[in-house]
Amino acid sequence: MDMEKIISQFPLPRKLTGIRTLGNGNINDTFLIITTNEEAFERYVLQRINHEIFPQPESMMENFCRITSHLELKRKQGKYGYQVLRLMPSKEGDNFHRDEKGNFWRGCRFVPNGLSLDFPKNKNHAYEAAKAFGAFQANLIDLPCPP
């Protein structure tokens, strides 16, 4: 898989300086993308969506965009206290890139200090995960229906 070719399909504002696997890839293949310039660096997450698990990736990405836009609006209004993933559109302006093999790729800004565990390490991790999931669900109660 030519990662640099895939990454080139997303408009990165800085020079690509690093690519590494992120997580264990149980469902999707996930990569940390590092970019730099003279002043700073930025990190992004690039994911190959497993279209065997998600057979309609276009619909899934449409829902992803609807949900993240809705939650970001609530966050800006002070009604949602969690960070929201920020999708990085492809150079074509789509919410994903489809490569020549038919794989779907999405890019997001990296969430600093985020924690992703396969299993909770203690009761507090389980509690915080449940609390965050409950807040996520509660804040989608007023998500408008798709057009």
Side-chain angles (χ1 to χ4, degrees):
M1 153 174 17
D2 185 354
M3 288 302 298
E4 289 190 24
K5 183 175 180 182
I6 293 163
I7 292 166
S8 74
Q9 300 306 306
F10 294 89
L12 298 175
R14 294 180 166 94
K15 180 183 177 192
L16 175 65
T17 54
I19 305 168
R20 67 174 210 239
T21 301
L22 188 61
N24 60 18
N26 282 337
I27 297 176
N28 298 312
D29 295 324
T30 307
F31 302 90
L32 179 65
I33 308 304
I34 303 165
T35 63
T36 59
N37 67 11
E38 296 80 33
E39 293 101 38
F41 73 96
E42 285 192 54
R43 295 174 290 179
Y44 300 89
V45 174
L46 187 65
Q47 255 185 346
R48 184 187 65 82
I49 299 167
N50 185 334
H51 55 270
E52 292 180 15
I53 302 292
F54 302 106
Q56 298 177 326
E58 294 101 333
S59 296
M60 187 207 45
M61 286 306 300
E62 183 179 314
N63 284 336
F64 181 95
C65 290
R66 286 181 52 243
I67 289 167
T68 55
S69 295
H70 183 75
L71 293 175
E72 180 61 19
L73 178 62
K74 286 188 152 198
R75 189 193 64 76
K76 287 179 179 176
Q77 296 169 342
K79 298 176 182 177
Y80 187 67
Y82 294 91
Q83 292 186 54
V84 178
L85 291 175
R86 290 177 37 206
L87 192 65
M88 184 174 53
S90 71
K91 285 186 174 177
E92 293 85 26
D94 296 322
N95 56 27
F96 61 86
H97 166 69
R98 188 172 187 176
D99 69 20
E100 65 277 351
K101 294 180 181 176
N103 293 308
F104 287 77
W105 294 85
R106 68 176 167 203
C108 291
R109 289 196 175 259
F110 179 78
V111 177
N113 303 316
L115 180 64
S116 177
L117 302 172
D118 291 330
F119 299 98
K121 293 184 178 181
N122 55 50
K123 288 180 184 179
N124 189 55
H125 282 166
Y127 170 79
E128 290 297 329
K131 184 175 153 186
F133 185 69
F136 175 79
Q137 291 291 327
N139 278 279
L140 294 180
I141 192 115
D142 58 348
L143 178 69
C145 293

